[in-house]
């Protein structure tokens, strides 16, 4: 079973909107070189050239700080056609179709790859109809904390 499959299974088991109170080592340090992806390798950027700059810290990676109550660790490809519009499916205002500060240049760019909240993502899987009905996940840019949080939450249920 691939790590991506395990993450998706953990996500679907944990499809609750409650916030898991788990402290991460992220604190206020946003250096992406100290973070790992779901494969255990260095965390890659989620956004890139021509895309809106993502991340809770708006540095392009799915890292956080202690004040990120949503744990924005899941990098999804918003421009994939599967699963419907993330914002519509999760009942959020439609920021998914917005243009925001570009990654690496001045101006506004479309939201294409985005770090989404772990708990909104769990809800998205359920509301979209399952793991095979969602937008693509970039596992190399998805923070390992998401996997660990879902694993801990699933074990407690």
């Amino acid at each position: 079973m691939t790590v991506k499959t395990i993450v998706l299974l953990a996500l679907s088991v944990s499809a609750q909107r409650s916030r898991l109170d788990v402290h991460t080592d992220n604190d206020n340090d946003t250096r992406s070189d100290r973070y790992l992806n779901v494969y255990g390798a260095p965390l890659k950027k989620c956004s890139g050239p021509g895309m809106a700059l993502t991340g809770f810290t708006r540095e392009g990676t799915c890292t956080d700080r202690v004040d990120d109550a949503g744990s924005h660790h899941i990098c999804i490809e918003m421009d994939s056609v599967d699963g419907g519009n993330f914002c519509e499916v999760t009942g959020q205002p439609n920021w998914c179709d917005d243009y925001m500060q570009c990654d690496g240049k001045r101006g506004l760019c479309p939201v294409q790859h985005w770090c989404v909240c772990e708990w909104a993502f769990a809800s998205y899987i359920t509301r979209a109809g399952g793991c095979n009905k969602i937008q693509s996940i970039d596992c190399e840019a998805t923070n390992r904390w998401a996997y660990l949080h879902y694993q801990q939450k699933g074990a407690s249920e």
Side-chain angles (χ1 to χ4, degrees):
M1 186 175 292
T2 68
V3 172
K4 183 174 180 179
T5 302
I6 293 169
V7 168
L8 290 175
L9 288 172
L11 292 173
S12 63
V13 167
S14 301
Q16 294 185 13
R17 300 196 85 176
S18 64
R19 168 77 171 119
L20 180 62
D21 292 323
V22 177
H23 176 71
T24 68
D25 290 332
N26 293 359
D27 293 330
N28 290 319
D29 181 358
T30 60
R31 294 174 304 153
S32 63
D33 62 339
R34 67 178 280 212
Y35 302 107
L36 300 177
N37 63 30
V38 296
Y39 298 122
L43 185 66
K44 305 249 186 213
K45 282 186 70 173
C46 182
S47 60
M51 300 178 193
L53 185 62
T54 190
F56 182 76
T57 59
R58 291 299 188 266
E59 292 183 1
T61 57
C62 297
T63 57
D64 63 9
R65 300 181 331 181
V66 293
D67 57 340
D68 179 11
S71 297
H72 292 79
H73 292 151
I74 311 284
C75 179
I76 64 173
E77 299 173 8
M78 303 295 278
D79 53 348
S80 68
V81 296
D82 297 328
N85 180 298
F86 179 85
C87 291
E88 290 174 16
V89 173
T90 58
Q92 298 181 33
N94 193 15
W95 54 263
C96 296
D97 291 332
D98 283 350
Y99 283 71
M100 299 183 197
Q101 176 188 345
C102 288
D103 188 343
K105 69 175 187 175
R106 289 184 178 202
L108 301 176
C109 290
V111 171
Q112 290 181 338
H113 292 192
W114 202 254
C115 298
V116 298
C117 168
E118 292 176 16
W119 317 113
F121 185 74
S123 171
Y124 172 62
I125 290 173
T126 301
R127 293 178 181 185
C131 294
N132 61 339
K133 305 266 187 193
I134 61 170
Q135 291 176 309
S136 299
I137 301 169
D138 184 344
C139 289
E140 292 183 319
T142 294
N143 195 313
R144 185 167 180 82
W145 281 110
Y147 170 74
L148 298 173
H149 289 164
Y150 290 125
Q151 186 178 47
Q152 290 171 352
K153 183 68 175 173
S156 69
E157 292 180 343

